[in-house]
Amino acid sequence: MEYEFTIIVPLYNEAENLIRVEEKLASYIQKAPIKTSVLFVNDGSKDNSLTLVEDICQRNEAFHFISFDRNRGLSAAIKAGIDYCKAPLVGYIDSDLQTDPEDFNLLLEHIGEFDLVTGMRTNRKDSFKKNLSSLIANGIRRSFTHDGMDDTGCPLKVIKTDYAKRIPMFKGLHRFLPAMILLQGGKIVQIPVRHYPRIAGEAKFHLMNRLVGPFLDCFAYLWMKRNYINYQVAKKDNF
């Protein structure tokens, strides 16, 4: 079946959330404005997440999965999802469901004009420490990238797949997706979306990997920006 939009769902030890993820996404794709599929990327979970994902995919035609041999990290999971995506549009949502799949519609409204549309979480339902570390990390990243984005950590995005596939991903680059679209000459925009508290499972990020990791990744981004190869073919023959 030809899909127009694929939603990537990276997951690591999220067994407590997966039935709720199935219900929410199955409900969404029934009323989505375009034909939509779901691609789970199991990032080497050590609980029974993979078993649950396999069962979910067996009973839902539009749900599919890939599973890593071991834990590789969020950036690797997103890259794998993009690599396996065949639809012209690719999205991304976290399996903790702190954002609402229905808000993809808000992003899809703008994807014709833009090449990446990212959510911006409003009225965040996280702890003070988590909100503060996110604010600091976003400020640091924005000072390096000048991408104008206030919340690149928002786990709700829609990207034109041909742009997404040209992103040379490295560990931590999921925080720089808007900046990487800009390097290709693409257009980006952020749209306010709803945010909810985590009600099951455990957060995978803490103060140190919200601040130290993003700071160091900024230097990797600067190296890539200096060396990034970008071109457009003006003419070709019929080969």
Side-chain angles (χ1 to χ4, degrees):
M1 183 179 295
E2 295 290 329
Y3 292 101
E4 300 169 84
F5 179 39
T6 294
I7 300 171
I8 300 169
V9 186
L11 62 107
Y12 176 66
N13 294 344
E14 291 286 1
E16 296 176 62
N17 278 313
L18 286 175
I19 298 304
R20 202 162 59 94
V21 170
E22 176 189 14
E23 293 171 352
K24 282 280 193 177
L25 286 173
S27 174
Y28 172 70
I29 64 177
Q30 289 297 317
K31 51 192 176 186
I34 54 179
K35 192 174 293 294
T36 301
S37 67
V38 174
L39 177 59
F40 289 108
V41 182
N42 176 45
D43 186 17
S45 295
K46 297 179 180 178
D47 60 3
N48 66 328
S49 290
L50 178 57
T51 299
L52 289 171
V53 163
E54 290 177 313
D55 291 343
I56 289 169
C57 292
Q58 284 183 352
R59 58 180 175 255
N60 293 277
E61 181 183 8
F63 285 59
H64 307 278
F65 79 92
I66 57 177
S67 185
F68 288 169
D69 57 342
R70 60 182 177 86
N71 182 242
R72 302 285 181 170
L74 180 57
S75 290
I78 294 173
K79 173 174 170 49
I82 291 171
D83 288 345
Y84 279 81
C85 176
K86 298 179 181 178
L89 296 176
V90 61
Y92 153 50
I93 190 171
D94 272 355
S95 52
D96 59 18
L97 288 181
Q98 287 193 257
T99 49
D100 194 323
E102 292 194 5
D103 283 350
F104 273 122
N105 289 352
L106 301 175
L107 309 188
L108 288 169
E109 288 178 9
H110 300 273
I111 196 62
E113 180 182 356
F114 295 91
D115 304 300
L116 175 146
V117 185
T118 183
M120 179 178 64
R121 293 166 287 189
T122 58
N123 299 316
R124 287 185 63 173
K125 302 301 190 294
D126 289 323
S127 67
F128 172 79
K129 183 171 71 172
K130 185 174 180 180
N131 284 335
L132 179 61
S133 63
S134 179
L135 181 66
I136 295 171
N138 272 299
I140 293 171
R141 175 203 44 75
R142 195 164 51 245
S143 70
F144 278 79
T145 64
H146 305 289
D147 60 10
M149 299 290 102
D150 297 305
D151 185 20
T152 58
C154 179
L156 201 71
K157 292 179 173 62
V158 176
I159 316 173
K160 289 178 179 173
T161 303
D162 58 341
Y163 278 83
K165 287 183 180 293
R166 293 197 296 267
I167 296 174
M169 293 287 285
F170 60 79
K171 185 177 181 181
L173 196 64
H174 62 273
R175 304 180 183 96
F176 296 85
L177 293 177
M180 296 306 298
I181 298 300
L182 289 178
L183 285 186
Q184 298 181 42
K187 297 173 64 179
I188 64 176
V189 69
Q190 59 185 2
I191 302 296
V193 297
R194 294 169 289 181
H195 190 248
Y196 304 91
R198 176 187 269 272
I199 64 174
E202 296 182 0
K204 308 305 185 293
F205 292 91
H206 48 73
L207 184 61
M208 290 300 290
N209 60 20
R210 281 197 184 93
L211 293 180
V212 177
F215 177 70
L216 296 176
D217 291 340
C218 285
F219 292 98
Y221 165 78
L222 289 180
W223 179 90
M224 182 169 291
K225 182 177 181 180
R226 286 194 302 269
N227 295 278
Y228 186 72
I229 296 173
N230 189 31
Y231 66 88
Q232 292 183 348
V233 175
K235 191 175 182 180
K236 66 181 181 68
D237 68 1
N238 296 318
F239 61 87

